Each structure stands twice: as structure tokens, then as C-alpha cells.
Amino acid sequence: MQVLVLGSGVIGITSAWYLARAGHQVSVIDRQPGAGLETSFGNAGMISPGYSSPWAAPGVPLKAVKWMLAKHAPLAITPTADPHQYRWMMRMLGNCTQARYAVNKGRMMRLAEYSRDCLVQLRQDTGVEYEHREKGTLQLFRSQQQLDAASKDIHVLESCGVPYQLLDRAGCIAHEPGLASSADKIVGGLLLPNDETGDCHLFTTALAEKCREIGVTFHYDCHISRLLDDGDRITGVATDQGIMRADSYVLALGSYAPQLLRPLGIDLPVYPVKGYSLTLPVASDARAPVSTVMDETYKVAMTRFADRIRVGGMAELTGFDASLQAKRRATLEMVVSDLFPGGGKLEEASFWTGFRPMTPDGTPVIGGCSRHNLFLNSGHGTLGWTMSCGSGQLLADLVSQRKPAISTEGLGLHRYAPNKELRRYVDTASAH
């Protein structure tokens, strides 16, 4: 079968890899000159199944109000004229209950744990290199209240069989010695020892080359204008390089996917959540992170690569405004300097921003839709790197009409479809 993948970020490239491995003739198109040059380029570097949690959580609405007045707020909302922004926000608020949080977190962890296993196998099969480490994620708490609240996440971890360690201050420093100089600022942490780290951009470009070696073709600098359809199936993709056709199509365009689907009457509730990162050279091994440290207060992650530190975080609901905001840089600099003073060379840091494609419930949308040969792989939010391999394998199984290794419950678009359209989506998904 000929399959056309739209998008060459980490989700598009992993989709292409697993589709090609399944025996399909695969082509990839992207507007960029190479793979992984948008959201996959500068993310926080975490491969963190254990930290897979929806942003929509109990207490978030009240926190959001307080954050409006905070200098270093992890969340900022800029009202726009886009009605989809407000509809997305209302849907997100509807998921901020304990019951919905537990369901959504369980779905996310199911996919993320599977994805980590797929990544391990892919690494063994290909030898792909991306500065990866296998030293876990440390969720760092600055207050006793945060430490006490961790019990809710621990319950979900235990129900999913995910290993964890609850650490006191000394335990945190033993795991991350660079925290010794900031010991008075922390009370404890939650260590997820099975989590990994790595440079997502390096991985994406390396895997794209592996894809090329097994026959995947790439069309870069190719701008997509619209999807052509006959009301039942996609018949082609209109681009500035002409109309491209295939038997099946995979939409892996992240935050930009909804724009192509709306003219078809398909509502994909994905919104661009803007994030920022700094990348700075290591100044001192003794003062730098060993793996990933997530500051729970500011929602900022600090990840160690070979000779660099990636500092990523924040969430802005501001549409597709790609401007680099100095105050966001100041927050990233403050957090890494506060916890790992002297660990990195801030004066040499590069500053980046990108759009995370996020659903209101945090779970991505993977599978079919009302056009029988169109498949969606989008909405991974802050966890695209974590969920990429599992999502690509799951997507390839669905396209190939093979039974996936994990349950697809709650991962499809039908969970957002109006009642009158629910059966149509379910029937479409089961047909594949």
C-alpha cells in the first residue's frame, strides 16, 4: 500500500518508520528543509512515561487564576479572536476533575509505557544515537504541600505497575549531586527510575536517515494547501509541488492538523500550546544535572545531554504567535540558576520556542476518522517525544489492519465526536 505521511517531526518520522517496516511504500512531505525542525527541535528532552500527566487536573483552574499575577508563571493565557481557543479551554476545564484526571492519566501512561518499550527495541534494531541516558526523572518538590499531593499520582503509578521512589531531601541530592548547593530550597522528590532522556531532534534526523535507507522517500520544502476528498475518502493532497496521491494518508502535522481538517467538517480538538527552551553548554559536571529534574513549582524541566543542558517549560495559550518573550527566558534562567548554580554557561545559551499540539484531556488522537483512508496521529502535547515510537507503531498497526499490542480505548477521535456522529467514528476506526 502507498502511504503518504504529512509531517516530518518526531511523530511523522516514527510513523513513517513503522509503516515502512510493515511493508508499505511510504512518502513524507513537509514544508521544512529537513526533519524535526519545528516542535521536535528544542523540546525538554524527556522520555518520561512515569511523568505522563494531563495538564487538565484538579486545582488547575484556581492555580491558573493565581498564576496570572505571578512573575514566573508556568501558564499564561493571551485572549485571541479565535473561537477555537475558547472552545478548547472549556473542554480542558471539563477535564479538571479527579475522575477525569485518573482516566486520562491512565490512558496516557498506557501509551507512554508502550512507547518506551518500542523505543528500546528500535534502538537495539537500528543503533540510532541521540545522546540518550537511562537515569530516570526526578520530580522535585519545593514544598511539603507538593510532596503530600504526590500521593494521587503515586496511586496511578502503582495501578499501572510503574516503579517509583519517594525521596527526601538527602535522597534527591544523592540522585542529583548538583542539587547540593540548593538543598535548602527542596523538601523531597518523586524519582521515576525507568524514564530516559535524549535529544529529540538528533533522534528524528537519525531515524529519518534510517527511513531513507529502507525506501521511504521525502519531499521537503513542500507546502500543503489542502486535502482533496470525495466525501468518503481522501483523493489527494494539494501542494505547491503539485497534487500528491496515495492509498492512505497519515496526518502528523501537530498543531497545524486542525486547519486541514476543518474544511472537511472534521473537528480535531488540538490547540497550539507554546513552550520555550534554553540550551546551554555544561560549565561544571559536578554542578549540572545528571538526568532530568522537573521543578514542580515552575513546571520547568532541566535535562542533561552529553555536553549541554536543555531547560524547557512554560505553557502559553496565545495562538500561533512565535515571538520569543524575554520574560519567559528570564524564568528558565532563574530556575536552572536557582537549582543548579554554575552548572551551565547561561551567557552562551540559545533560546527557542515551539508549539505543542495539545488536546483538552492530554491524550493524543491516534487512528481513523470519517474519511476512511485518513489516519490521525496528533495531539501529544508536551509528550510527543515520550510517546512517539508507541504512537508510530500503533498507527502503523491500524493502517495495516493488524491488532495493536495495546488497547486503543480512549485514543481515537470518537471520544470527542458529538453523539450523533459517534457511531460513524467508531465504525470507521473498527473497519481498520
Side-chain angles (χ1 to χ4, degrees):
M1 182 191 301
Q2 292 183 333
V3 184
L4 185 60
V5 178
L6 284 62
S8 69
V10 69
I11 300 299
I13 295 300
T14 52
S15 297
W17 169 259
Y18 288 107
L19 285 164
R21 288 288 296 266
H24 302 293
Q25 294 178 277
V26 182
S27 297
V28 178
I29 57 178
D30 197 286
R31 65 183 179 183
Q32 295 292 344
L37 292 177
E38 294 202 17
T39 305
S40 301
F41 184 79
N43 69 16
M46 304 165 61
I47 305 166
S48 302
Y51 196 72
S52 296
S53 300
W55 281 74
V60 165
L62 180 58
K63 288 179 181 178
V65 173
K66 294 179 179 178
W67 285 334
M68 295 294 182
L69 304 175
K71 180 179 180 181
H72 296 293
L75 173 67
I77 302 173
T78 302
T80 70
D82 181 8
H84 299 287
Q85 179 188 35
Y86 304 101
R87 187 180 184 198
W88 185 92
M89 290 170 60
M90 291 303 296
R91 283 173 158 174
M92 181 181 178
L93 288 173
N95 279 279
C96 290
T97 66
Q98 188 59 48
R100 292 307 308 164
Y101 177 81
V103 169
N104 295 331
K105 184 175 177 66
R107 291 170 174 172
M108 294 169 71
M109 290 187 63
R110 182 203 326 149
L111 177 60
E113 288 285 323
Y114 174 60
S115 187
R116 195 254 327 283
D117 295 342
C118 290
L119 173 60
V120 171
Q121 186 62 54
L122 186 152
R123 193 165 60 229
Q124 293 174 353
D125 292 343
T126 65
V128 63
E129 296 183 359
Y130 50 93
E131 297 186 14
H132 94 280
R133 295 187 172 206
E134 300 174 48
K135 299 180 183 293
T137 296
L138 176 62
Q139 184 180 3
L140 203 64
F141 305 124
R142 292 178 181 256
S143 70
Q144 187 63 42
Q145 182 180 12
Q146 291 174 343
L147 185 60
D148 295 340
S151 61
K152 297 176 182 177
D153 279 341
I154 288 173
H155 176 72
V156 179
L157 293 174
E158 290 176 341
S159 66
C160 295
V162 177
Y164 71 90
Q165 297 175 38
L166 197 59
L167 304 178
D168 58 12
R169 178 182 293 139
C172 292
I173 295 171
H175 181 72
E176 285 283 356
L179 292 170
S181 58
S182 56
D184 61 322
K185 295 168 182 171
I186 62 178
V187 299
L190 181 65
L191 175 63
L192 303 164
N194 284 4
D195 286 1
E196 301 185 8
T197 62
D199 188 321
C200 181
H201 178 244
L202 289 180
F203 172 85
T204 306
T205 54
L207 188 60
E209 185 55 37
K210 298 291 183 183
C211 286
R212 197 186 303 275
E213 292 172 4
I214 62 173
V216 177
T217 59
F218 290 86
H219 303 275
Y220 290 123
D221 297 306
C222 182
H223 293 258
I224 301 165
S225 57
R226 62 193 178 98
L227 301 177
L228 309 177
D229 82 311
D230 61 8
D232 183 61
R233 302 173 64 86
I234 299 300
T235 59
V237 178
T239 77
D240 61 353
Q241 296 180 18
I243 295 176
M244 298 189 179
R245 303 185 190 277
D247 299 310
S248 291
Y249 302 82
V250 175
L251 195 58
L253 289 171
S255 298
Y256 299 92
Q259 298 175 6
L260 288 178
L261 294 174
R262 284 174 193 143
L264 306 182
I266 300 173
D267 175 27
L268 175 63
V270 168
Y271 191 79
V273 177
K274 186 178 180 182
Y276 297 85
S277 73
L278 287 177
T279 305
L280 51 154
V282 171
S284 167
D285 278 326
R287 292 178 173 271
V290 172
S291 187
T292 290
V293 174
M294 167 60 75
D295 187 331
E296 180 63 17
T297 299
Y298 298 102
K299 305 294 185 182
V300 169
M302 292 143 284
T303 298
R304 175 69 181 271
F305 295 154
D307 56 2
R308 299 168 295 148
I309 302 170
R310 176 67 53 75
V311 187
M314 265 86 68
E316 285 187 353
L317 303 182
T318 184
F320 288 96
D321 174 12
S323 61
L324 288 165
Q325 300 293 326
K327 60 183 179 180
R328 304 304 175 202
R329 177 169 187 153
T331 296
L332 297 177
E333 291 182 348
M334 181 278 293
V335 172
V336 70
S337 298
D338 194 43
L339 294 176
F340 294 98
K345 301 177 182 178
L346 278 174
E347 67 278 4
E348 298 180 27
S350 59
F351 188 33
W352 173 91
T353 189
F355 300 114
R356 311 179 187 104
M358 191 172 288
T359 60
D361 63 9
T363 308
V365 174
I366 306 171
C369 66
S370 58
R371 301 305 189 271
H372 298 307
N373 62 341
L374 177 61
F375 296 83
L376 311 179
N377 199 356
S378 182
H380 297 76
T382 60
L383 296 164
W385 183 201
T386 294
M387 296 179 171
S388 58
C389 290
S391 297
Q393 179 66 78
L394 179 63
L395 186 283
D397 288 339
L398 293 174
V399 173
S400 305
Q401 300 185 43
R402 299 185 309 205
K403 183 179 179 179
I406 63 170
S407 169
T408 61
E409 185 279 324
L411 301 181
L413 182 61
H414 61 271
R415 71 184 190 269
Y416 285 110
N419 290 336
K420 66 180 180 180
E421 297 180 11
L422 180 58
R423 179 51 50 192
R424 185 181 187 189
Y425 283 109
V426 171
D427 289 344
T428 299
S430 62
H432 295 283

